[in-house]
Amino acid sequence: MINSTLTRIAKVSLAVAVLMGASVSAQADTLIPTDLTSNIEQNISAQMQDMMQVAQRELSMSLQAQLSDVMFEATAEDDTQLAQEATEQAITSAMVKE
């Protein structure tokens, strides 16, 4: 009787140990994809932030270059226009100084 009780306890303990082991391994299997997914999301997020910073820098540089080109062209046109106005205003009468 004691022997059968010990055998029964041993079988139940073995069954509980197997079930606990299966449960732990099942949890470990779900943790691996979860960790992998979390790492992938973090990497994608970091790359998106880097791309946004690069895009902002490039946009800013492009706008600065376009603005400087427009300002340079406007200054060159103003200088040309001022030079033309100066020569036109010099000859305003019929009398020419010699």
Side-chain angles (χ1 to χ4, degrees):
M1 184 165 185
I2 292 177
N3 200 11
S4 67
T5 305
L6 289 176
T7 306
R8 192 175 213 179
I9 290 173
K11 287 180 181 180
V12 169
S13 298
L14 181 62
V16 169
V18 168
L19 288 175
M20 287 180 65
S23 173
V24 169
S25 67
Q27 288 176 357
D29 288 343
T30 58
L31 288 177
I32 290 172
T34 303
D35 290 341
L36 183 62
T37 304
S38 175
N39 287 339
I40 290 172
E41 288 175 354
Q42 288 175 353
N43 288 340
I44 289 173
S45 175
Q47 289 177 358
M48 288 292 287
Q49 288 176 349
D50 290 343
M51 287 173 44
M52 288 300 293
Q53 288 175 351
V54 169
Q56 286 175 344
R57 244 183 284 132
E58 288 180 0
L59 179 62
S60 176
M61 290 172 57
S62 174
L63 289 174
Q64 288 175 357
Q66 290 177 7
L67 183 60
S68 66
D69 286 345
V70 168
M71 290 177 67
F72 178 76
E73 289 173 4
T75 303
E77 287 176 9
D78 287 345
D79 290 344
T80 305
Q81 190 175 13
L82 286 174
Q84 287 176 353
E85 287 177 6
T87 57
E88 288 174 2
Q89 289 175 355
I91 308 173
T92 55
S93 71
M95 297 178 59
V96 178
K97 292 183 181 177
E98 293 182 24

